[in-house]
Amino acid sequence: MIQNIKRNCPICNSQNKKFLFRQKFSLLSEGSLLTGYDVVVCENCGFGFADDIPEQTEFDIYYQQMSKYEYQDSGGKESGFDLMRFQIYVKTIKPYLLSTQSSILDLGCATGRLLSLFKESGYTNVKGLDPSPVCSDLAAKLYRIVVQTGNLWDIEIPGKPFNCIILSGVLEHIRDIDRALSRLSNILSDDGIVFIDVPNASKFSMYQDAPFQQFSMEHINFFSPFSLSNLMKSFGFLELLSLKENYPQSPNTICPSVSGIYKKIDNVNPASIVKDELTEIDLSNYITQSKKIEERIHQIINDVVDKASSILVWGTGTHTLRLMGTSRLSQAKISAFIDSNYRYQGKTIFDIPIISPDDIKNRDEPILISSRVFQESIKIQIKDILKLENNLILLY
Ligand SMILES: [Zn+2]
């Protein structure tokens, strides 16, 4: 059994935390990381984070074994929405690079598309790092990009440190942020820059999403523009640029994000931390809103349970594991779960098998689509690609 441990504030190390919400998940038969966590804010600096979670090594094993970033449905290619986001990154970062000879490292690079965009615009000295070996194979095949398999702790300190290190959608996943930033500092040249992009937790309540989806299994740090600045200041980085962007993730979902560009400085001034007053307010609003949306979803699930006929459930991520742990969905007659990620197929949830979309061709149970962000694309896959006639149960 994985042991959970309390965290001090990853930014200011304070032990004083305010509890906001307990997030709960049910477990997969194997490959699970968490049964839930406490969403808290630091009373000293205002940073929001997940408390009572496993140690970093457990996260490292999870990312190596359960990658969601291999994009198997599309032969390793990310979505058009991700591509648009990457194009904005390149435009943002380029003015801060000294020359096309600058060495660029993308940490958590998935299948390497962002690096391939840099390569297309003349930057040939690019390298990626990703925990999934499948990602490094795909990056080589699709874009001829070299991707080392591993995580931040494995990367060798190069003879010549990197001129630019990119962490896009990475810092919100890391438990030991302090260790990560000191590692980063070691592999970055003195005049080098770091680009960071994370979800903006001070805006969660302003954008529609599935209830509590922002408190996912994988996201354990909830940054605002203030707390990202505070973090980088406390670990010896100077902020050169701070941006708030909103990136579409699907036709009906927008992710608020905060990003910045930083360089190393010698003297750290802890007094320069400014308390983040926004995160607690917005996370509290987001929790109230999520509870409201969830009531409506529970109604639909209650109807399904009361009808007592067998159903299939499409999706086995945070959305489903949360509903199995917190609604009556676990009392429904679920004959199977469906997931297109092969890493989930063959496992079980409450002893119910997880099967692939191809396995449902001769089954006539209604399909409950357990996703907000991908509801439309799953609908298209069922009706237009698999050409199935099954009734659909939609939660959104
Ligand atoms: Zn703090």
Side-chain angles (χ1 to χ4, degrees), residues 9 11-14 42 44-47:
C9 171
I11 295 180
C12 73
N13 208 31
S14 165
C42 169
N44 182 48
C45 76
F47 181 48

Side-chain angles (χ1 to χ4, degrees), residues 153-183:
W153 329 114
D154 303 323
I155 196 159
E156 305 126 32
I157 297 179
K160 264 178 111 181
F162 293 99
N163 301 122
C164 170
I165 302 179
I166 299 170
L167 294 95
S168 139
V170 169
L171 267 195
E172 70 272 29
H173 296 254
I174 295 180
R175 185 195 205 279
D176 297 351
I177 306 183
D178 51 347
R179 266 206 304 145
L181 289 182
S182 77
R183 189 95 189 113

Side-chain angles (χ1 to χ4, degrees), residues 228-276:
L228 184 60
S229 290
N230 283 341
L231 174 79
M232 297 310 280
K233 268 185 223 164
S234 2
F235 286 92
F237 288 89
L238 174 73
E239 187 170 272
L240 303 175
L241 178 77
S242 172
L243 287 174
K244 283 171 268 182
E245 298 272 359
N246 300 315
Y247 296 114
Q249 193 190 355
S250 81
N252 66 352
T253 310
I254 288 173
C255 289
S257 98
V258 50
S259 52
I261 292 183
Y262 308 86
K263 69 182 287 255
K264 287 199 272 192
I265 41 166
D266 291 332
N267 25 2
V268 180
N269 175 10
S272 62
I273 284 191
V274 186
K275 185 172 181 187
D276 169 13

